[in-house]
Amino acid sequence: MPATITAIAAYLPEKVLSNSDLERMVETSHEWIVTRTGIEERRMAHDEEFPSCMGAKAAARALEKAGLKATDVDAILCATMTPDFLTPSTAALIQSSLGATKACCLDIQAACSGFLYGLSIAKGWVESGMYKNVLVVASEKNSAFVDYTDRNTCVLFGDGSGACLVQPSGKGYEIRHVCLGADGAESQLICIPAGGSRRPASANTHEDREHFMKMEGKEVFKHAVRRMEASAKECLDSTGILEADITWLIPHQANIRIIEAISKRFNIPWERTLRTIHKYGNTSAATIPIALAELDEHNAPQSGEHLLLTAFGAGLTWGSSLLTKV
Ligand code: UT7
């Protein structure tokens, strides 16, 4: 039996950062942002709110939906590119917040593809019989690494988290397949240059604003469309599911034009293509679980419906997954 997502939930911080707020911070306009990205507003965590707090809130909601006690969780995977600390892991902090004392903990650094990498690990652990109750959390405080003087990036990102419980059986979304990929040769395209061991924090790195995210947007855009399309196709080929059988497309939310391109390439109707980008922007690893949580809550997919998930991010990394509602 394929592993199953038996509960899914999200947590978004309350504070809204609108395009008109950004107009007061950098030289940009609501019209440019909406036309070029589809984003109208995004959420921002407050000063004392971190990926671990947001992730723990989403995870607690998922556990509540599943009716599972935190002490029954065997493993916590946390996909984040904006961890609370370089070490310890954000997963360990989430474990402590939840009181999931039995769980082993691991962070996944695959940027915006991190949730799908996490899903793949959870699937392996559950199907091998190693663990029964695995939490996959994706949680990002992008606002801590975004340079609010750089209009090329600051309009794009938001904060938020999503979490799901993966179990050996039950009602929910069967994880039929996950395929993953990466191209480290293009790693310079999205990068936080300093703060790691290669360029430890110093007065110079601080002055040169090297602790903020840098992105070559145009190049990344092309890779995103190409890689997500190829990986989603590989995922369909592996499962034998046809394009026409897909009921919902859940793409990573980086740019509405990227979402449109993927939706068209797979002939998926626009109303069946999940979009949260207008209200949350790009929440990196968290975009897919947030969208899936909203779909689950508001549209209640029917048994037998197929969901195609596809993501792309820094690394470069990418991945796709086919879920079937059971
Ligand atoms: O989640 C990880 C994956 N990330 C992505 O997939 C992001 C992919 N990239 C993108 O979404 C787009 O490339 C961006 C939204 C980042 C940029 O859109 P674009 O259509 O590729 O614009 P561009 O970078 O080619 O810039 C066009 C113009 C430039 O002005 P000039 O040089 O033509 O005079 C930019 O300086 O738009 C200017 N520009 C802006 N203008 C107003 C760039 N950012 C802004 C802005 N407001 N915020």
Side-chain angles (χ1 to χ4, degrees), residues 52 76-78 80 88-96 104-107:
S52 59
I76 300 174
L77 297 165
C78 180
T80 183
S89 72
T90 302
L93 303 175
I94 292 173
Q95 185 230 37
S96 164
C104 70
C105 297
L106 172 70
D107 273 11

Side-chain angles (χ1 to χ4, degrees), residues 26-29 32-33 36-37 81 111-112 150-157 190 213 215-225 228 252-258 282-285 287 312-314:
V26 287
E27 201 185 325
T28 191
S29 66
W32 190 95
I33 303 172
R36 305 308 296 162
T37 73
M81 63 174 210
C112 304
D150 174 12
R151 70 175 183 176
N152 292 298
T153 52
C154 75
V155 301
L156 303 172
F157 294 94
I190 314 175
M213 191 189 309
M215 181 172 72
E216 293 180 36
K218 244 189 171 36
E219 273 308 299
V220 171
F221 188 108
K222 286 185 248 170
H223 278 282
V225 175
M228 282 199 280
H252 172 50
Q253 310 281 309
N255 187 315
I256 197 75
R257 293 180 291 136
I258 297 176
N282 182 349
T283 55
S284 311
T287 67
F312 173 86

Side-chain angles (χ1 to χ4, degrees), residues 215-247:
M215 181 172 72
E216 293 180 36
K218 244 189 171 36
E219 273 308 299
V220 171
F221 188 108
K222 286 185 248 170
H223 278 282
V225 175
R226 193 155 59 84
R227 298 302 194 178
M228 282 199 280
E229 182 190 0
S231 129
K233 188 168 182 321
E234 182 191 336
C235 192
L236 289 182
D237 289 347
S238 304
T239 50
I241 302 284
L242 304 173
E243 280 175 22
D245 299 330
I246 301 300
T247 320

Side-chain angles (χ1 to χ4, degrees), residues 75-79 91 104 106-108 118-119 121-122 125 134-138:
I76 300 174
L77 297 165
C78 180
C104 70
L106 172 70
D107 273 11
I108 296 162
L119 219 50
I121 298 170
W125 280 351
V134 180
L135 271 175
V136 184
V137 184

